[in-house]
Amino acid sequence: MADEDRYTAFAGARRIASGALREVLPALKAHHDASGAPALVFHDASGKQVDFDLRGTVAEVLARAEPPRRAGPGRPRLGVVSREISLLPRHWEWLERQPGGISAALRRLVDEARRREPDRARARRVREAADRFMWAIAGDLPGAEEASRALYARDGQRLRTLVRAWPRDVRAHLLALAEEAERLERPAQGEDGAWTARS
């Protein structure tokens, strides 16, 4: 569930919406216009909070939030971020020989590496996202510190016990992320792993 394009919005302890930006932002905008109450939006893959400019119409909100699209045929323009990198001459020479240019070659290399990323590494990132989400929205709830320890110890049974009294939507989202980490680790762990999420 913690893919790169998924977001979840909360108003207090109530989940407003979860999914792609095109699903979440209209619900977030409606909540904002109806109540003016603050809301938190989390990027599920990282657990980080994301802010959106909710002024104007839903179409305007979406246009600001999503990468712009080029008119006519062709791929959408990428949300490009420029940063400096340092490579040895032989790396630059190899990149310059690749089709599409240096930037396209680097993007292909990164995408390929991400596809080959071991499930255990992906599980670690999902667990870190779950912990970041938990501290942002439930850090002052009883048992939060112990729940964080249970999450990293892969002790799902204890985690479930510790968060049982937490607000339903917060608990459900946290446990969904924790179970995603479990699913990713299951092939490497086998049947004797320490994670016991399901009661």
Side-chain angles (χ1 to χ4, degrees):
M1 66 161 283
D3 63 62
E4 295 294 331
D5 298 321
R6 189 177 178 88
Y7 296 80
T8 302
F10 277 84
R14 180 175 65 87
R15 181 165 45 194
I16 300 171
S18 192
L21 280 181
R22 284 194 134 336
E23 301 163 6
V24 171
L25 287 181
L28 183 65
K29 168 76 171 157
H31 166 79
H32 176 268
D33 290 352
S35 68
L40 298 178
V41 183
F42 296 91
H43 179 225
D44 288 352
S46 66
K48 293 179 180 176
Q49 292 179 54
V50 187
D51 293 322
F52 295 100
D53 183 349
L54 299 176
R55 294 172 301 165
T57 66
V58 171
E60 290 169 336
V61 172
L62 285 167
R64 283 191 297 268
E66 294 185 326
R69 296 184 177 273
R70 196 169 51 195
R75 294 182 347 157
R77 270 178 38 205
L78 301 172
V80 175
V81 177
S82 295
R83 293 187 182 166
E84 183 178 323
I85 62 168
S86 299
L87 299 174
L88 295 172
R90 68 175 181 271
H91 300 137
W92 288 117
E93 290 166 10
W94 184 87
L95 286 168
E96 287 166 353
R97 293 194 302 267
Q98 303 310 304
I102 291 173
S103 292
L106 286 171
R107 286 194 293 268
R108 284 195 302 272
L109 289 170
V110 171
D111 286 342
E112 181 59 30
R114 288 179 65 194
R115 280 193 292 273
R116 291 196 318 258
E117 184 181 27
D119 284 345
R120 186 173 293 277
R122 291 169 57 209
R124 184 185 68 249
R125 284 194 290 114
V126 173
R127 190 169 286 108
E128 289 168 355
D131 192 56
R132 202 172 282 124
F133 161 78
M134 181 180 68
W135 282 110
I137 204 166
D140 59 349
L141 292 177
E145 192 169 330
E146 293 85 351
S148 180
R149 284 197 288 266
L151 176 69
Y152 282 107
R154 299 166 178 79
D155 188 347
Q157 188 63 48
R158 176 153 176 74
L159 178 61
R160 283 180 174 273
T161 299
L162 289 165
V163 304
R164 186 171 290 145
W166 288 12
R168 181 187 64 198
D169 290 349
V170 171
R171 180 180 68 240
H173 190 65
L174 173 63
L175 292 177
L177 289 169
E179 288 175 359
E180 174 69 4
E182 176 219 359
R183 184 190 67 77
L184 289 166
E185 285 187 324
R186 192 178 294 136
Q189 247 180 239
E191 296 180 0
D192 296 327
W195 177 256
T196 54
R198 291 174 180 80
S199 52

